[in-house]
Amino acid sequence: MEDQLKLRTLRLLTDYLEYCARRPGSAPRPPSSLEAAVVRSLASQIQAHYQLSWTHYRRPGNRVEMVATAMQNLFRHPRRPNWGRVVALVAFAGFLLERPPASHTWALKEWDARVDRDCQSLVTLLCACLTGQHRTWLEAQGGWDGFCHFFRATRSRRRKAMVPFLLSCLTLTIITYLCKK
């Protein structure tokens, strides 16, 4: 019997990491699923936030070992997985697969030589972690459907919180304007 969770996880990780590892000038493929679209969106936000602190990882080195170390640190006992940590880990792996700037000629040669192999190794590593060691957690969260629901619900709560906030700002602006008259 096929392991649907594992197949879906493999498809998601392959989609995102191949998206990050694509060659310059090649058009990105559209996301293969809803969860792939959500991961791409969230990961780009995380990468933008951590860009400076992650830059020193762009030196020559073993990408798989770097992600394995990050994985151990993120999920170290008593820290358990959560969706934020999962997306951060996948975003970090994607960041390591992105083509370095053209000014880094030493890194470009290494990137060209190893990116495809490293991409597949990272898919295998991350999938084994999520559908092996953390499978119970992933299933308890509703799998990738739960992932999509979690981030849709989070976005919806933010929007609902914004309405009262914006109304209070508008009210404060009106009161301030009236008081100055």
Side-chain angles (χ1 to χ4, degrees):
M1 186 169 160
E2 288 186 356
D3 182 348
Q4 291 300 314
L5 181 62
K6 186 172 184 174
L7 290 173
R8 198 166 169 186
T9 304
L10 278 169
R11 188 171 46 248
L12 168 64
L13 294 169
T14 300
D15 175 280
Y16 179 68
L17 295 178
E18 284 182 355
Y19 166 78
C20 293
R22 70 187 182 281
R23 300 285 191 264
S26 63
R29 285 185 274 190
S32 60
S33 62
L34 176 60
E35 59 264 23
V38 173
V39 165
R40 286 186 189 188
S41 173
L42 294 170
S44 70
Q45 293 171 29
I46 290 170
Q47 283 186 4
H49 187 265
Y50 289 102
Q51 186 80 24
L52 290 176
S53 61
W54 286 357
T55 301
H56 73 279
Y57 290 105
R58 274 237 166 95
R59 67 192 189 303
N62 189 319
R63 294 178 184 108
V64 178
E65 285 179 11
M66 285 188 260
V67 171
T69 300
M71 189 167 43
Q72 288 173 344
N73 290 331
L74 276 174
F75 301 142
R76 185 180 334 163
H77 184 75
R79 294 169 127 187
R80 294 214 165 95
N82 65 38
W83 289 127
R85 289 184 186 125
V86 169
V87 175
L89 182 63
V90 172
F92 179 65
F95 174 81
L96 293 176
L97 290 171
E98 288 179 352
R99 193 170 206 274
S103 60
H104 297 125
T105 53
W106 53 267
L108 285 173
K109 289 179 185 176
E110 181 183 330
W111 184 85
D112 284 332
R114 298 178 50 195
V115 72
D116 294 330
R117 183 185 65 213
D118 286 354
C119 183
Q120 288 307 309
S121 296
L122 288 171
V123 166
T124 302
L125 174 72
L126 293 168
C127 187
C129 173
L130 294 171
T131 62
Q133 179 183 0
H134 298 296
R135 181 184 196 94
T136 304
W137 175 84
L138 187 58
E139 289 173 339
Q141 305 309 308
W144 297 109
D145 291 329
F147 169 78
C148 293
H149 177 72
F150 176 82
F151 284 105
R152 258 195 318 254
T154 301
R155 237 181 288 140
S156 176
R157 281 192 299 270
R158 282 189 201 139
R159 268 190 238 126
K160 287 179 183 176
M162 285 299 285
V163 171
F165 174 74
L166 292 174
L167 286 175
S168 66
C169 289
L170 178 62
T171 304
L172 182 61
T173 303
I174 292 169
I175 291 171
T176 305
Y177 176 77
L178 291 175
C179 288
K180 286 185 177 183
K181 275 195 152 191

